[in-house]
Every structure is written in C-alpha cells, then in structure tokens.
C-alpha cells in the first residue's frame, strides 16, 4: 500500500530557506509512464506541416517569441522547436519528436495533465505555503532533446510571471532521470532572499510580440549570479518534484548527451496578488486572468 502524500513543516521550512526543494518519488513510476505516454500522443498528433516553425529560446527577446503563435499559446497546447534543430537555411534537420523544445502553455486542456496538476497533493503544498487563492498557469512539457537541448540561462521565474507582490511558485516534475550530462536544473541556494527582480517580460504596447521591461529600481543583479561554482545541482530520478520560488536564480545547461530530459512544469500564483495586463500570459490570450483555480471541492 502506498503512503499518502505529505508535505511536512520541515520541507516547507527548507523551501523557504533555500528557494528550491527537491521531493523524490512525488509521482509513482506508473504515473510518470502515463504522463510520458500522453506526451508522446500529443507530439504524435502535432501537424508540423501547418506550424509557423516557431523556435523557442529565452536568450533574448527576439522575433520568434514575439509572434502571435506564442501569445495564443497561453491558453492552448502549442509546440515550440529547438533552434539547434534547424540548419543555416532554416530547414528542419530532425524528425519532429526530436526537434520539439517544449509543448505548452496550457496543458490543463489535456485531461491527463489536468489530473496531475489540479489535485490534493498540489493543494497540500500550496496550503502549507499559505496561498490564499492558488491559481494555475503556464503549464508545459519541457523536452531538452539529446545533443541539441538548449541552455536555459540563469533567471528568476518572477520575471516571466510577474505579480505584485511576487507570488509565483514553480512545480517542476522530472519525467526522466536528470543529471549533469542531460542538463539537470541547478540553482543558487538562498538567492531568492538576496536577488532583486529588476526586469519583467511584457507584451509590447502595440500588442504584437514581447520584450523585457526594466523595473524602476536602483538595485542591480549581483555578480554571484554569474559564478558557476555557486550553483547547486539538482540531480534527480524520474518522478521527483522540484519546487521553485519566484525569485530564486536557477538555470539548466545544454544537453549534449544521447538521452532526453523530459519534464512537466507548471506554476501557481496567488489570485490575491495583482496580475496586470502587461504580462505576456493572459487567459483568454486577448486579455484576462481566467486562470484555473486550484481549490476545488475534491
Ligand atoms: Fe524557470
């Protein structure tokens, strides 16, 4: 018989101190398989012939993230491709299942992912962390493909899911084993307490595309963010959950190995915090905050 899930005071305390928390065996191996199978089904059904070949990277605010396909993805299941899967003439050099960077940004449209997101375990965590009106947004499968899986540079999730006060909490679930060879996550312990958020990712005022907006702050990003040796690796087995605070600095390296690194990630914000119309992610995508409530009577 499996032991019922518990999120303890000690775990909550560790999360508050470190800004990240690894929980092993959060999902059973059977649950991991069912999420992976659903992922393969979604990718199988993806018709690449009608796709605008939207590549995804967080390295800059280039044109590829600014298009309509990206903005509309806030509320549907869209597919984003690895820049490394294209040759210099912009032809795809890999089959689609090896070229996808991520699938998102509303996986709640899929019943299998919905059930692994809006449930009593997630509620137990956000209740312990004192959310008043927990809401789910930006759910996605991150593929980190073999050999071409791109680097995600150091960042804070509060830049991309900006609320006042900051409230975003990331749930990152490993669907495959993760270590240094295939680009596991790493983070700066305690950096959420010392590293200000100095910019935010916004929709351009004309509604077309996105850009970073500098915040009116005298603070700047500390130097320690750029020092490799300060980062703590989060090696983990499939089925592990990593909680990520909105302000903790984290990143992942390139995947140059022969194995992929699939993960399912979603975020919870507090509905009592302000989420304004500048944020790129709106539901409906034309403008709104109709985010899935986590507190259901279940
Ligand atoms: Fe992140």
């Amino acid at each position: 018989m499996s032991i019922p899930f518990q999120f303890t005071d000690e775990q909550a305390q560790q999360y508050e101190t470190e800004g990240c928390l690894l929980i092993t065996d959060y999902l059973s191996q059977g649950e991991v398989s069912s999420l992976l199978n659903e992922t393969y089904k979604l990718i199988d059904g993806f018709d690449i012939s009608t796709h605008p070949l939207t590549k995804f990277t967080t390295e800059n605010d280039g044109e590829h993230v600014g298009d309509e396909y990206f903005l509309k993805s806030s509320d549907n299941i869209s597919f984003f491709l690895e820049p490394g899967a294209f040759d210099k003439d912009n032809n795809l050099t890999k089959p689609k299942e090896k070229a996808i960077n991520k699938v998102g940004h509303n996986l709640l449209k899929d019943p299998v992912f919905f059930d692994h997101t809006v449930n009593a375990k997630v509620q137990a965590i956000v209740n312990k962390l004192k959310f008043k009106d927990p809401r789910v947004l930006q759910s996605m499968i991150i593929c980190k493909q073999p050999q071409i899986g791109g680097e995600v540079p150091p960042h804070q999730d509060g830049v991309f899911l900006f609320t006042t006060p900051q409230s975003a909490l990331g749930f990152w679930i490993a669907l495959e084993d993760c270590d240094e060879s295939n680009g596991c996550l790493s983070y700066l312990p305690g950096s959420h307490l010392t590293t200000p958020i100095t910019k935010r990712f916004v929709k351009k005022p004309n509604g077309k595309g996105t850009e970073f907006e500098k915040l009116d702050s005298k603070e700047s990003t500390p130097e320690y963010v750029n020092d490799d040796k300060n980062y703590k690796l989060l090696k983990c087995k499939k089925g592990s959950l990593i909680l990520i605070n909105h302000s903790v600095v984290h990143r992942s390296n390139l995947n140059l190995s022969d194995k992929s690194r699939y993960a399912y990630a979603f975020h919870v914000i507090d509905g009592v915090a302000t989420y304004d119309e500048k944020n790129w992610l709106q539901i409906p995508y034309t403008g709104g905050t109709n985010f899935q409530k986590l507190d259901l009577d279940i």
Side-chain angles (χ1 to χ4, degrees):
M1 213 178 91
S2 63
I3 306 157
F5 176 73
Q6 272 199 316
F7 185 61
T8 65
D9 289 342
E10 289 71 30
Q11 285 174 311
Q13 185 56 52
Q14 194 186 337
Y15 165 78
E16 301 287 2
T17 309
E18 293 244 326
C20 269
L21 179 76
L22 169 64
I23 301 174
T24 55
D25 299 319
Y26 174 75
L27 292 187
S28 70
Q29 297 307 300
E31 289 174 313
V32 169
S33 296
S34 99
L35 284 179
L36 270 179
N37 287 338
E38 194 65 10
T39 299
Y40 301 145
K41 233 168 72 187
L42 288 171
I43 292 175
D44 200 41
F46 160 47
D47 180 4
I48 202 162
S49 68
T50 58
H51 186 267
L53 298 184
T54 304
K55 290 175 262 181
F56 184 79
T57 169
T58 53
E59 276 172 23
N60 54 48
D61 58 348
E63 69 293 344
H64 47 274
V65 292
D67 67 12
E68 205 184 358
Y69 186 83
F70 179 80
L71 292 174
K72 279 186 175 170
S73 74
S74 62
D75 197 23
N76 67 27
I77 299 177
S78 295
F79 298 83
F80 298 88
L81 300 163
E82 280 289 355
F86 291 82
D87 66 16
K88 60 177 176 16
D89 299 320
N90 214 32
N91 299 310
L92 204 57
T93 59
K94 305 254 178 193
K96 65 176 179 180
E97 65 277 9
K98 295 275 187 248
I100 293 173
N101 168 295
K102 67 174 182 172
V103 182
H105 289 93
N106 191 354
L107 263 295
L108 302 184
K109 299 283 185 188
D110 179 287
V112 177
F113 281 93
F114 185 95
D115 286 350
H116 283 287
T117 311
V118 181
N119 60 37
K121 284 160 82 170
V122 176
Q123 282 180 340
I125 293 171
V126 299
N127 287 346
K128 181 81 81 180
L129 296 177
K130 302 194 168 57
F131 277 69
K132 294 191 179 68
D133 177 20
R135 304 277 183 145
V136 180
L137 69 171
Q138 191 171 266
S139 43
M140 56 196 169
I141 302 153
I142 304 163
C143 301
K144 203 81 159 175
Q145 299 288 0
Q147 291 150 358
I148 56 166
E151 176 188 10
V152 178
H155 68 279
Q156 297 159 295
D157 289 349
V159 170
F160 299 92
L161 295 170
F162 190 87
T163 66
T164 309
Q166 291 290 341
S167 67
L169 166 63
F171 285 71
W172 192 100
I173 301 171
L175 301 180
E176 295 181 300
D177 295 347
C178 308
D179 60 24
E180 344 38 346
S181 74
N182 64 348
C184 66
L185 292 181
S186 61
Y187 76 108
L188 288 175
S191 56
H192 61 307
L193 303 173
T194 56
T195 314
I197 287 177
T198 58
K199 61 181 180 183
R200 59 180 291 198
F201 191 61
V202 296
K203 247 188 198 182
K204 283 182 179 165
N206 65 6
K208 291 192 169 51
T210 51
E211 62 189 359
F212 285 101
E213 177 184 285
K214 236 179 133 19
L215 296 176
D216 191 17
S217 156
K218 290 190 177 54
E219 297 171 297
S220 57
T221 307
E223 260 310 299
Y224 56 69
V225 165
N226 301 315
D227 193 342
D228 274 359
K229 72 173 180 334
N230 294 330
Y231 283 81
K232 184 168 165 183
L233 284 174
L234 286 161
K235 291 189 260 191
C236 61
K237 292 282 179 205
K238 59 185 175 184
S240 300
L241 166 67
I242 297 172
L243 295 178
I244 304 172
N245 177 277
H246 47 75
S247 296
V248 78
V249 180
H250 59 289
R251 66 178 204 183
S252 68
N253 285 335
L254 282 164
N255 179 9
L256 298 175
S257 78
D258 290 331
K259 46 184 187 174
S260 54
R261 196 222 61 187
Y262 279 63
Y264 172 50
F266 60 92
H267 291 82
V268 176
I269 59 164
D270 202 326
V272 298
T274 303
Y275 187 98
D276 67 29
E277 66 286 351
K278 282 182 167 184
N279 278 315
W280 81 267
L281 194 153
Q282 303 281 324
I283 295 183
Y285 84 94
T286 46
T289 56
N290 191 20
F291 306 132
Q292 174 67 48
K293 261 181 167 313
L294 198 52
D295 278 334
L296 301 176
D297 291 327
I298 54 176

